[in-house]
Amino acid sequence: MDGRRETHGVRDGRDADRPLRYAYLGPAGTFTEAALLGVEGAREAERRPVSSVPVALAAVRAGEVDAAMVPIENSVEGGVTATLDAVATGSELRIVREALVPISFVLVAAPGTALADVRTVSTHSHAWAQVRGWMDEHLPGADYVPASSTAAAALSLLPGAGAEPGFEAAVCSPVVVEQHPELEVLAEDIGDNRAAVTRFVLVARPDAPLPPRTGADRTTLVIPLWEDRAGALMEILEQFATRGVNLSRIESRPTGNFLGEYFFSVDVDGHLHDARVADALMGLRRVCPSTRFLGSYPRADHKVATVARHHSDGAFREAAAWVAALQGHGDPGPAAADGGPGPA
Ligand SMILES: O=C(O)C(=O)C[C@]1(C(=O)O)C=C[C@@H](O)C=C1
């Protein structure tokens, strides 16, 4: 495949003659790049490494790229707040697919460096959080310098990289060592949790085609708290519980407007074309009109949701037909008093 004409679900076919363009947290060698390279056609596409998640998403919004690969959740550290915040505000975006990348870390340094020489270590903050146990044991007292990514920290240790980096070692993916064998590997497999996995999402503009339902799908939503009052969160959760929609992630994030104002970032099992999910969304729209739909897309682990018979598409269809038949026997009468969007 030559990267042309195939649009891989990130844009419609209108300008299918040019190659797809993807932004990702760079430089080459990050875990984010590994996630992107797993996308069919990405190796032949134009790949733009950028310095942060907000910069990647801004490039999507500005139409400079077709989609951006960004981390959203790590099995050890939890939600990636830079991503959760950047997709929740600003113009709308759509998640069109997800990718899972197993995470393993190496400690690297400039050629000729020994572990005993290391006083300061640099890496991405999420990576640092995943190697703290190893650091406490093997480099107690080492100072930490935050970097924009794991690979950015490692590459600044290469001979000829430029200014003095200000640290002796970096935590990065083994892929960086494959690309730069001149780096000294001081330790391998230093993650505190050997089974760590990061989930990434491919984010496009809102006119990207909705991925078809597969039966093993996920839907991502942003739900601002409509009112600061007792039971508001319960009312939101009820929309899912009463329709048999399972939540696989829920996080509260401050809106940044003022102290105490929060939104919920939520992943649920199922697709917009599942009747139970669509019905829950209608309920949410009523109790929380500024709910944001971020997309329905296939789960990377292909895990099929367990759905009780009374929450199946057929049960919703049958119930809607029953009510319609009952309504068909009478006059609807004058329009009910309408309080507009939001709770009465
Ligand atoms: O710095 C990188 O290599 C990234 O791709 C970012 C990132 C993250 O944001 O969580 C991705 C996966 C790892 O958990 C550590 C860092």
Side-chain angles (χ1 to χ4, degrees):
M1 192 176 312
D2 68 359
R4 290 167 194 269
R5 281 176 289 282
E6 264 302 329
T7 60
H8 296 297
V10 300
R11 65 170 190 228
D12 61 27
R14 274 174 299 188
D15 50 1
D17 274 344
R18 61 164 176 76
L20 285 168
R21 300 160 306 179
Y22 293 109
Y24 71 96
L25 177 66
T30 59
F31 293 102
T32 312
E33 187 200 40
L36 179 58
L37 291 176
V39 173
E40 199 191 333
R43 285 178 190 272
E44 297 77 32
E46 188 184 313
R47 297 188 303 278
R48 184 188 298 186
V50 298
S51 60
S52 71
V53 168
V55 170
L57 295 177
V60 177
R61 287 183 165 117
E64 293 162 14
V65 294
D66 299 297
M69 185 63 86
V70 292
I72 190 164
E73 181 184 12
N74 173 263
S75 59
V76 179
E77 258 304 282
V80 178
T81 53
T83 300
L84 299 179
D85 295 350
V87 294
T89 53
S91 64
E92 287 211 25
L93 292 165
R94 282 291 182 280
I95 300 174
V96 292
R97 65 185 287 159
E98 68 174 18
L100 298 176
V101 175
I103 303 296
S104 89
F105 296 109
V106 292
L107 184 70
V108 298
T113 311
L115 192 59
D117 303 328
V118 176
R119 303 273 170 277
T120 307
V121 180
S122 181
T123 192
H124 189 276
S125 57
H126 252 244
W128 183 246
Q130 295 174 71
V131 298
R132 290 303 301 273
W134 189 93
M135 290 292 160
D136 288 346
E137 195 180 330
H138 297 93
L139 283 174
D143 286 328
Y144 167 58
V145 174
S148 59
S149 73
T150 52
L155 297 194
S156 54
L157 291 166
L158 284 171
E164 272 296 300
F167 47 87
E168 294 81 34
V171 175
C172 65
S173 154
V175 169
V176 179
V177 181
E178 282 165 30
Q179 293 166 349
H180 302 279
E182 64 272 38
L183 283 167
E184 195 79 53
V185 179
L186 301 180
E188 289 178 290
D189 212 3
I190 64 171
D192 298 334
N193 185 328
R194 303 261 155 92
V197 174
T198 296
R199 185 164 73 92
F200 294 83
V201 286
L202 189 63
V203 183
R205 280 184 294 283
D207 58 358
L210 180 71
R213 173 167 65 160
T214 66
D217 306 286
R218 205 188 300 277
T219 294
T220 302
L221 304 167
V222 175
I223 311 166
L225 262 195
W226 170 255
E227 281 175 312
D228 183 17
R229 62 175 167 79
L233 173 58
M234 178 73 109
E235 208 167 34
I236 289 169
L237 295 178
E238 266 173 359
Q239 307 308 317
F240 300 113
T242 55
R243 278 99 175 176
V245 176
N246 182 51
L247 272 65
S248 57
R249 182 184 61 83
I250 177 163
E251 267 154 305
S252 70
R253 291 288 306 150
T255 62
N257 294 336
F258 49 81
L259 206 59
E261 194 184 72
Y262 283 83
F263 67 83
F264 291 95
S265 172
V266 172
D267 286 334
V268 305
D269 290 349
H271 191 282
L272 182 61
H273 283 307
D274 289 323
R276 67 186 196 287
V277 174
D279 208 63
L281 277 179
M282 283 194 273
L284 276 176
R285 178 78 179 180
R286 284 185 285 106
V287 302
C288 194
S290 37
T291 293
R292 181 177 276 211
F293 172 75
L294 274 175
S296 290
Y297 48 93
R299 286 178 67 124
D301 61 6
H302 309 293
K303 197 172 149 211
V304 177
T306 310
V307 181
R309 198 213 60 81
H310 61 287
H311 292 132
S312 66
D313 281 10
F316 274 93
R317 231 183 355 257
E318 194 280 326
W322 177 63
V323 171
L326 295 174
Q327 288 172 332
H329 291 298
D331 183 324
D338 187 8

